[in-house]
Amino acid sequence: MTGSNRTMNRIILLVLGLVAVIVGVTIGAGVLTPVRDAVQPYVDLPRNLDVPASSLWIVVAVCAVVIVLSLLWVFTRGRGGTSVAVRERSGDDQVTVNVALVRDVVEHELQDVRDVVGTRVDTYLVRRQRAARIRVAVRRGGDAVTVLDAVDHAVSTLDRTLGRQLPILVHLTGGTRSALAKATRVH
């Protein structure tokens, strides 16, 4: 639930990483003799290089712009994720419920459901209102209706536990974990 595409984030990180490696090796080859000797068979580097001072200022300005844009990118991603599920204020008193309680209630309610492989609960601040996302990994070939009924029961228990309704998004998943999960045996 971020504001950007995961693939685009990975591509940007890859490009920035490659640029950082190239710049680091180039600077290292110009300053450190062991790095220069290690790079010598692959790249022909000049012994002396006269760089005008104005060019250095251009490089510094470009680096500063890249750093500022990177910081903006980092600080504007992942909007809304929070560890607080509920926060109630009454006068001078305040009650805060952590996402761990929500996670524990959901896991406890779903632990005996045969087709549930695992759960994950995250809370977000969406338009100044707290909401939860429950991801339930369902075993391959599992009964989705039974799982949804169990999740509905878990959400009802959660609402009773919290004393109020929390907006919830339920996401059923399959995937590798579900396919590789061992079948439950009854003894």
Side-chain angles (χ1 to χ4, degrees), residues 43-136:
V43 178
D44 213 12
L45 294 173
R47 289 281 180 206
N48 282 341
L49 187 62
D50 290 332
V51 179
S54 61
S55 297
L56 291 177
W57 282 110
I58 292 171
V59 169
V60 168
V62 168
C63 288
V65 167
V66 167
I67 289 171
V68 167
L69 289 175
S70 298
L71 288 173
L72 281 172
W73 181 266
V74 166
F75 289 123
T76 59
R77 301 301 119 199
R79 290 176 244 153
T82 180
S83 65
V84 177
V86 175
R87 179 171 285 152
E88 292 287 331
R89 292 187 177 133
S90 175
D92 292 337
D93 299 331
Q94 177 176 326
V95 175
T96 302
V97 177
N98 194 308
V99 68
L101 175 75
V102 177
R103 186 177 303 126
D104 290 344
V105 168
V106 170
E107 286 177 359
H108 180 266
E109 291 296 317
L110 296 178
Q111 72 183 359
D112 294 330
V113 179
R114 185 172 101 55
D115 293 329
V116 173
V117 176
T119 60
R120 182 169 176 180
V121 178
D122 301 309
T123 55
Y124 295 91
L125 201 56
V126 180
R127 295 185 183 161
R128 297 183 182 173
Q129 183 178 1
R130 298 181 193 283
R133 176 179 63 182
I134 301 173
R135 283 189 277 180
V136 181

